Amino acid sequence: MGGPGDPPEGTPEGGPGGAEDEYRSVVFDESFVRAARIQEYSAHERMADHTPAVRRRTHLRRGLTRQILILAVLIAVAFGTAIYMGVRHPYSSPGTRRPVEALRMTVIPLVPRGKVPGAADAEYLYTHSPAAQFEVGATGIPLPATRSTAHFSDSQVTAALSTARDYLVRTSLDPGVLTGRQVRPARSLLDSDQLDQFDRSFDHPAADGRHAPTGWLVRLDPSRVRLADDRIRVQGTLEATEADSSTLEVGARTIFVYALRPAGAAATASASLFTVRRDLTFRFDRDDLRLGTLQMVASSAQAGPMSCAEDATSYLRPLLSGQTARAGGPAATDPFAADSTTALCGTLAAEAQPKV
């Protein structure tokens, strides 16, 4: 029932108690009014001819413009910071590349004192030699624990060590390389700027300290020897250092011991051990790290038992069980020849041979 003053049909629509009741809780405070997009003109402003009753406020547009300006400044600051970090970041790549040096190499034959010891069983020779505690194959060249340097990340140092190790495995343990049938496993890892020197070494070998195939890899004369055991004994270490802000160097000190028999001999023929120590220095710039290649800058090999009278430029020619070094010394050295190098030769210590 309606109130005392209400019509019988109830409060008319639009009356004080009608539909407007639902808006009584809405309060149009000052902040609401200021935020409105449309503002009513004053009475004085509406006196002008053709003036609309309301106008659109512009303070939001000015606020939006200010926000755009602030955003643009922030983007500019972020972009400038990115450029700055790119220039100053310790792992950034330099603009110019240092020229790749030619490989310097030395191969030193080690002459035995007396006859080369041998035995029918290659394992027996290993057990009674200094290689008894060596690992078999690539496991003898473990990767050291790595850490970043001032200008190279941990992953870059690891990549350099892994590539150097891969080169040693390919050039000292691969049967195709050892017998002189292949050179590609070694060539594929070299920096492109060293390929000309590498190719010339095999096309035109020379004992000039630059172009000896045996300076690049271990290469046994297949006309004289064959492997008596493919379980080659290895002991090696790798160490990475930062040469400068754009170059990593890896030093490798490895000893490889091979069990050999005469080429074409029966499996029962006496075997002997042949030892090759390789001291190599590899260099890596950022292009090499990216491409998985390396530069060889120094190679020193000591190999024996061998005869100093033999040419070790193209192949290593081991002395086998029961053999002795040929009479005569190394090839003559001409100090007046422009391409002459001093011939080097050493003596293989008795304790380096198997005790049989």
Side-chain angles (χ1 to χ4, degrees), residues 43 76 85 101 114 131 161 214 231 236:
M85 292 300 292
E101 297 181 11
L161 290 166
T214 50
R231 292 166 50 85

Side-chain angles (χ1 to χ4, degrees), residues 160 163-164 246-248 250 282-286 288-289 293-294:
T163 304
S246 61
T247 311
L248 276 175
V250 173
F282 304 99
R283 185 171 292 162
F284 300 83
D285 59 22
R286 298 184 189 279
D288 291 316
L289 294 173
T293 57
L294 55 78

Side-chain angles (χ1 to χ4, degrees), residues 49-287:
D49 290 338
H50 309 294
T51 300
V54 296
R55 61 183 172 189
R56 185 172 294 274
R57 302 186 68 179
T58 59
H59 73 280
L60 288 177
R61 182 172 297 176
R62 289 197 299 269
L64 182 60
T65 302
R66 187 180 300 109
Q67 292 176 0
I68 293 175
L69 178 61
I70 293 174
L71 180 60
V73 171
L74 291 175
I75 293 175
V77 171
F79 186 71
T81 301
I83 294 177
Y84 175 80
M85 292 300 292
V87 172
R88 297 298 301 271
H89 196 279
Y91 304 144
S92 60
S93 178
T96 58
R97 189 186 189 205
R98 190 166 78 175
V100 175
E101 297 181 11
L103 170 62
R104 307 180 306 277
M105 60 184 69
T106 304
V107 180
I108 304 174
L110 300 178
V111 181
R113 294 178 176 178
K115 292 184 179 181
V116 176
D121 184 8
E123 189 63 34
Y124 176 84
L125 291 175
Y126 281 130
T127 303
H128 292 80
S129 77
Q133 304 302 319
F134 287 12
E135 299 288 344
V136 175
T139 57
I141 315 174
L143 289 178
T146 61
R147 60 181 180 180
S148 60
T149 67
H151 299 89
F152 292 89
S153 67
D154 179 82
S155 61
Q156 289 175 315
V157 175
T158 301
L161 290 166
S162 299
T163 304
R165 181 178 184 270
D166 194 15
Y167 186 89
L168 286 165
V169 171
R170 294 189 187 191
T171 60
S172 309
L173 300 176
D174 186 305
V177 172
L178 291 175
T179 56
R181 299 194 307 270
Q182 298 184 39
V183 297
R184 181 171 177 78
R187 191 181 189 277
S188 62
L189 287 178
L190 289 175
D191 186 289
S192 59
D193 289 346
Q194 281 195 318
L195 294 180
D196 286 344
Q197 182 187 7
F198 182 88
D199 293 339
R200 182 179 174 185
S201 298
F202 289 87
D203 293 340
H204 305 286
D208 58 0
R210 302 288 187 185
H211 301 95
T214 50
W216 295 97
L217 42 80
V218 178
R219 201 181 195 204
L220 306 175
D221 186 349
S223 67
R224 295 192 180 187
V225 300
R226 66 177 180 86
L227 287 174
D229 186 353
D230 57 4
R231 292 166 50 85
I232 300 166
R233 303 310 197 264
V234 183
Q235 184 181 77
T237 60
L238 299 170
E239 182 180 6
T241 57
E242 183 176 307
D244 54 47
S245 61
S246 61
T247 311
L248 276 175
E249 281 193 356
V250 173
R253 306 290 179 266
T254 50
I255 301 173
F256 301 89
V257 184
Y258 308 87
L260 305 177
R261 285 192 173 93
T268 56
S270 291
S272 59
L273 299 185
F274 183 69
T275 302
V276 180
R277 171 172 174 163
R278 305 186 74 191
D279 295 341
L280 308 179
T281 302
F282 304 99
R283 185 171 292 162
F284 300 83
D285 59 22
R286 298 184 189 279
D287 286 343

Side-chain angles (χ1 to χ4, degrees), residues 29-39 57 59-60:
D29 57 8
E30 184 179 355
S31 62
F32 180 85
V33 174
R34 288 182 177 178
R37 290 173 173 257
I38 298 175
Q39 182 183 35
R57 302 186 68 179
H59 73 280
L60 288 177

